[in-house]
Coordinates of all heavy atoms in Angstrom, one line a residue:
T81 N 20.5 -12.5 4.3 CA 20.7 -12.2 5.7 C 21.1 -13.5 6.4 O 21.0 -14.6 5.9 CB 19.4 -11.7 6.4 OG1 18.5 -12.8 6.6 CG2 18.7 -10.7 5.5
L82 N 21.6 -13.3 7.6 CA 22.1 -14.5 8.4 C 21.0 -15.5 8.6 O 21.3 -16.7 8.4 CB 22.6 -14.0 9.7 CG 23.1 -15.1 10.7 CD1 24.1 -16.1 10.0 CD2 23.8 -14.5 11.9
S83 N 19.8 -15.1 8.9 CA 18.7 -16.1 9.1 C 18.5 -16.9 7.8 O 18.4 -18.2 7.9 CB 17.4 -15.4 9.4 OG 17.6 -14.6 10.6
N108 N 21.5 -20.5 22.0 CA 21.5 -20.1 20.6 C 20.6 -18.9 20.4 O 19.7 -18.7 21.2 CB 21.1 -21.2 19.7 CG 21.7 -21.1 18.3 OD1 22.2 -20.0 17.9 ND2 21.8 -22.2 17.5
F109 N 20.9 -18.1 19.4 CA 20.1 -16.9 19.1 C 18.7 -17.4 18.6 O 18.7 -18.3 17.7 CB 20.8 -16.1 18.0 CG 20.2 -14.7 17.8 CD1 20.4 -13.7 18.7 CD2 19.4 -14.5 16.7 CE1 19.9 -12.4 18.5 CE2 18.8 -13.2 16.5 CZ 19.1 -12.2 17.4
S111 N 16.6 -16.6 16.4 CA 16.3 -16.6 15.0 C 16.8 -18.0 14.4 O 16.2 -18.6 13.5 CB 16.9 -15.5 14.2 OG 16.4 -15.4 12.9
D112 N 18.0 -18.4 14.9 CA 18.5 -19.7 14.4 C 17.6 -20.8 14.8 O 17.4 -21.8 13.9 CB 19.9 -19.9 15.1 CG 20.9 -18.9 14.6 OD1 20.6 -17.8 14.3 OD2 22.1 -19.3 14.5
T151 N 25.8 -21.8 17.6 CA 26.5 -20.5 17.5 C 27.7 -20.6 18.5 O 27.5 -20.9 19.6 CB 25.5 -19.4 17.9 OG1 24.4 -19.4 17.0 CG2 26.2 -18.0 17.9
Y155 N 25.3 -15.0 22.3 CA 25.1 -13.5 22.1 C 24.9 -12.8 23.4 O 25.1 -11.6 23.5 CB 23.9 -13.3 21.1 CG 22.6 -13.6 21.7 CD1 21.7 -12.6 22.1 CD2 22.2 -15.0 21.9 CE1 20.4 -12.9 22.6 CE2 20.9 -15.3 22.4 CZ 20.1 -14.3 22.8 OH 18.8 -14.6 23.3
D180 N 27.5 -21.1 13.6 CA 27.1 -19.7 13.3 C 28.2 -18.8 14.0 O 28.5 -18.9 15.2 CB 25.7 -19.4 14.0 CG 25.2 -18.0 13.6 OD1 26.0 -17.1 13.5 OD2 24.0 -17.9 13.5
A182 N 28.2 -15.4 14.1 CA 27.7 -14.0 14.2 C 28.5 -13.3 15.2 O 28.8 -12.1 15.0 CB 26.2 -14.0 14.6
H183 N 28.9 -13.9 16.3 CA 29.7 -13.2 17.4 C 31.1 -13.6 17.4 O 31.8 -13.5 18.4 CB 29.0 -13.3 18.7 CG 27.7 -12.6 18.8 ND1 27.6 -11.3 19.1 CD2 26.4 -13.1 18.5 CE1 26.3 -10.9 19.0 NE2 25.6 -12.0 18.7
C203 N 27.2 -13.0 10.2 CA 26.7 -11.7 9.7 C 27.9 -10.7 9.7 O 29.0 -11.0 10.2 CB 25.6 -11.1 10.5 SG 26.0 -10.8 12.2
Y205 N 27.5 -7.2 10.1 CA 27.2 -5.9 10.7 C 27.6 -5.8 12.1 O 27.5 -4.7 12.7 CB 25.7 -5.5 10.5 CG 24.7 -6.5 11.0 CD1 24.4 -6.7 12.3 CD2 24.1 -7.4 10.0 CE1 23.5 -7.7 12.7 CE2 23.2 -8.3 10.4 CZ 22.9 -8.5 11.8 OH 22.1 -9.5 12.1
K206 N 28.1 -6.9 12.7 CA 28.5 -6.8 14.1 C 30.0 -6.5 14.2 O 30.4 -5.4 13.8 CB 28.2 -8.1 14.8 CG 26.6 -8.3 15.0 CD 26.2 -9.7 15.4 CE 24.7 -9.7 15.5 NZ 24.1 -11.1 15.6
Ligands
PLP1 C1 22.7 -11.3 15.1 C2 22.3 -12.7 14.9 C3 21.4 -13.1 14.0 C4 20.6 -12.1 13.1 O1 20.2 -12.6 11.9 P1 19.7 -11.6 10.8 O2 19.1 -12.5 9.8 O3 21.0 -11.0 10.2 O4 18.8 -10.6 11.3 C5 21.1 -14.5 13.8 N1 21.8 -15.4 14.5 C6 22.7 -15.1 15.5 C7 23.4 -16.1 16.2 C8 23.0 -13.7 15.7 O5 23.9 -13.4 16.6

Side-chain angles (χ1 to χ4, degrees):
T81 75
L82 176 50
S83 302
N108 207 341
F109 191 78
S111 195
D112 294 33
T151 295
Y155 70 105
D180 187 327
H183 293 274
C203 60
Y205 50 81
K206 292 170 181 165

